[in-house]
Amino acid sequence: MAVNLLVPALVAGNTVIFKPSEETPLVAERLVAILNKELPNGVLNIVHGDGKVGNDLVESTDINLVAFTGSLTVGKQIMKTASVNLKRLVMELGGNDPMIVLNDADINNAAYFAVASSFENSGQMCTSTERIYVVKEISDDFIERVKEVAMQYQMGPW
């Protein structure tokens, strides 16, 4: 998710301060280290900390745009804080992604997508398929194919 926000900002010529979730600091450190091998010094920066650190960044008058992926509750707080200085915001707040399967769908492809999208990252992504609506006429075939595909997935350590 961070790449979807960092790369466009960098390509547009901006400097970036990346404050990742305090729950995934090592992944963020690795990403920044890889990108910084190619970027000039000081273009991509990383700051670690909790919500107070994030709030301090949002309050800073030196920051023009805040991009946030996370909960609706934190998003509302960011919006309130950012509004004081009329900062621009990009927010992805608790995705809620349905999948719709119509009569003319390729059932095999739809089943593979449904399972992959639901299982990827253990379903802990804002773009994970959370519910599926299937036209009644093909629902039995679709459900059967989803079961077959899902049985091919291995859970736990490989």
Side-chain angles (χ1 to χ4, degrees):
M1 294 305 301
V3 170
N4 293 341
L5 299 170
L6 294 173
V7 172
L10 294 167
V11 168
N14 297 291
T15 56
V16 174
I17 300 172
F18 177 30
K19 189 248 166 260
S21 166
E22 56 273 21
E23 295 178 21
T24 57
L26 299 179
V27 172
E29 279 289 338
R30 183 72 179 128
L31 172 64
V32 169
I34 290 167
L35 292 173
N36 275 337
K37 286 181 182 178
E38 304 300 324
L39 294 170
N41 258 355
V43 170
L44 175 58
N45 307 279
I46 188 165
V47 175
H48 293 287
D50 60 10
K52 166 103 174 71
V53 172
N55 192 64
D56 289 348
L57 289 168
V58 175
E59 285 181 342
S60 170
T61 57
D62 295 328
I63 294 176
N64 299 315
L65 181 141
V66 176
F68 173 73
T69 300
S71 73
L72 183 61
T73 301
V74 175
K76 285 180 179 181
Q77 181 58 47
I78 289 171
M79 185 176 284
K80 181 178 177 182
T81 303
S83 70
V84 173
N85 293 309
L86 296 176
K87 290 184 192 288
R88 291 173 289 164
L89 299 173
V90 176
M91 300 181 132
E92 169 61 49
L93 305 176
N96 196 353
D97 305 310
M99 177 178 173
I100 301 171
V101 184
L102 301 175
N103 284 335
D104 60 348
D106 179 318
I107 291 188
N108 193 51
N109 285 342
Y112 271 99
F113 180 86
V115 173
S117 176
S118 298
F119 285 17
E120 182 180 7
N121 201 34
S122 300
Q124 299 300 306
M125 290 177 47
C126 60
T127 57
S128 294
T129 298
E130 296 182 19
R131 62 194 181 286
I132 304 170
Y133 299 102
V134 184
V135 174
K136 186 175 177 96
E137 294 80 23
I138 61 169
S139 63
D140 289 342
D141 291 339
F142 177 77
I143 291 168
E144 196 56 41
R145 188 63 188 128
V146 165
K147 288 179 189 176
E148 292 167 3
V149 173
M151 293 301 292
Q152 296 173 13
Y153 274 71
Q154 180 180 347
M155 297 294 128
W158 295 22

